[in-house]
Each structure stands twice: as C-alpha cells, then as structure tokens.
Amino acid sequence: PHEFRTSLSGILGYSNIISSYARRDTLGTNEINEVCEMAREINDEGKRLHRLTENFLLYSQIQAMMASRNDDEFKPTSVLESPSEIIKDIVVDFSSRSPRANDLVTDVDNAPIGLAFYHFYKIIYELLDNAIKFSGAGRSVEITARSGADTYQICIKDTGYGMSKEQIKNISAYNQYDRSLHEQQGTGLGLFIAKLLTELNGGRFAIESAPNRGTTIILDFPITIGSGQ
C-alpha cells in the first residue's frame, strides 16, 4: 500500500499544481519550465505505478497457476531466437533514462531458448533494475551471456550491498532486506518474480553473494533447436 500511495501522491500533487497554472491567463518562462518538469514527474510516477500493478497481477497469476498445479502456460510453445538482442534493448532502455549509462557493461552471446518473450523480458528487466538500484553511482553493473553445450547462461553482477546466506535462502514475495538501512523503494516482488519465472520455464536460478561484496545472479536456460535449424 505504501508504494501505491507514494506514486499516487506524486501524480495527484503535480497534476493539482498544473491545474492551478491552467487557470492563469498567461504563464512566464519559469512557470512553463516548471509545468514541463512536473509533467515528466507525473509520467515517471505513472510508469512506476503501472509496473507495480503489473507485478502484483503477474504474481497473482503465478500463485493461481501453482495452486491449481497447471503449469501448461509456462511450457515453451515457441523459441526465442535472439535473447541477446532483448538484453541489449533493455540495457539501452535503462541507459537512455539514467545518468549511469557508463556503469552498465554488456558482453552477450546468443543462443535459441524456449521461453516466452514477455517472461524473458520481465526476468532480465527486474534483475537489472535491482542491480542498478543496489549499486551506488559509479559502480559497475555487468551483464554477460554465454552459450554452452546445452545451456545459455546469463550472469548479472552488481557491486552493491550484497546478501547473506540466510537472506538468499529466504527470498520470497514482499520481502525486503535492511529497507530502513538502505531506504530502497519497491515491494520486493521483482527478484522473487524473476526467480519463479525462470524456474517455471525450466531454467535454473542461482545467487552468489556476500555482505558488502555485491551480488551475482546466474540464470541457466536450456538451449532449444528452433524451427529451420
């Protein structure tokens, strides 16, 4: 609830100020600049609220599927031919709206994997968002992807706070560690959703981390022979 209120408060507050400006006959350059900045803030908070809603709905869908023991929806029905291009697109997206573009280091190969586009995109997006969030400015976030004999391995390495063995063991929905210490935003759903989606799609999800030594997320997806190959 706190995360929803935070976004809604920003949207309502800025839009209320803009409405008061709209009642004026003329606006000076400073006011116009302020309106443009507030519009950007409204857009950012709207995107944040949209992502929160998506995560809640996706997690509810996964819970319902697991409760009914019907995992047909997560059985690969198509081949993702170019996962490396999706990774690069996500990195470009983060770089375009972040002052930390130089902190992102990408070195990815390609291989076909059996995974829905949306699930793969969601996994990488949430993990990269966490890596950036928990690594301070000027600290690198590395993404590598390598094709092996039968698996496609992706590693997302940050230089953030790190996690203890107990924290890794107890990853779950809505679970945030040391929130008061690090003052991070979010619900704690992203990491858990990425883990569930990886495993439900036949992949392996592993975490290597230690306090104050950063975190490396390791994903292994079976390589699939695509149509025409």
Side-chain angles (χ1 to χ4, degrees), residues 165-176:
K165 291 182 179 179
E166 189 67 20
Q167 288 174 332
I168 295 173
K169 180 181 177 181
N170 293 319
I171 289 174
S172 62
Y174 313 120
N175 193 3
Q176 291 182 303

Side-chain angles (χ1 to χ4, degrees), residues 17-220:
I17 296 172
I18 291 176
S19 295
S20 69
Y21 278 11
R23 291 192 289 270
R24 299 184 184 181
D25 293 332
T26 59
L27 292 178
T29 302
N30 289 339
E31 287 87 353
I32 292 174
N33 290 337
E34 288 176 2
V35 168
C36 291
E37 181 59 32
M38 286 185 282
R40 282 191 289 269
E41 291 290 345
I42 290 173
N43 187 258
D44 288 343
E45 291 297 340
K47 289 178 180 177
R48 181 180 171 200
L49 192 57
H50 180 262
R51 182 179 167 205
L52 281 170
T53 305
E54 271 195 332
N55 280 357
F56 280 122
L57 292 174
L58 179 57
Y59 181 57
S60 297
Q61 177 189 3
I62 293 172
Q63 282 187 309
M65 182 277 298
M66 294 176 70
S68 66
R69 300 183 181 277
N70 177 20
D71 60 353
D72 288 342
E73 183 177 350
F74 291 92
K75 291 179 180 178
T77 57
S78 61
V79 176
L80 199 60
E81 299 284 358
S82 301
S84 64
E85 295 304 313
I86 298 173
I87 295 173
K88 291 176 184 176
D89 287 344
I90 295 173
V91 170
V92 169
D93 180 43
F94 274 103
S95 298
S96 66
R97 52 190 173 84
S98 169
R100 299 180 53 194
N102 293 333
D103 295 347
L104 303 179
V105 180
T106 308
D107 183 10
V108 293
D109 295 337
N110 203 37
I113 55 178
L115 197 69
F117 170 87
Y118 174 72
H119 288 170
F120 184 76
Y121 186 97
K122 190 67 175 173
I123 291 167
I124 302 302
Y125 187 96
E126 292 296 336
L127 295 179
L128 184 57
D129 183 67
N130 271 355
I132 294 172
K133 184 189 302 180
F134 294 113
S135 296
R139 295 187 174 185
S140 65
V141 173
E142 300 178 7
I143 306 175
T144 60
R146 295 288 179 267
S147 175
D150 53 7
T151 60
Y152 183 62
Q153 185 176 90
I154 302 167
C155 295
I156 300 176
K157 180 180 180 181
D158 68 44
T159 49
Y161 310 120
M163 303 171 68
S164 67
K165 291 182 179 179
E166 189 67 20
Q167 288 174 332
I168 295 173
K169 180 181 177 181
N170 293 319
I171 289 174
S172 62
Y174 313 120
N175 193 3
Q176 291 182 303
Y177 303 107
D178 302 325
R179 176 172 182 136
S180 60
L181 177 63
H182 303 307
E183 298 182 351
Q184 76 267 29
Q185 296 177 337
T187 59
L189 266 179
L191 179 63
F192 192 54
I193 285 177
K195 181 177 185 294
L196 288 177
L197 287 179
T198 299
E199 294 173 347
L200 287 169
N201 279 283
R204 184 182 74 92
F205 185 101
I207 299 177
E208 294 180 356
S209 185
N212 301 314
R213 294 188 179 181
T215 299
T216 300
I217 306 291
I218 303 170
L219 311 172
D220 286 293

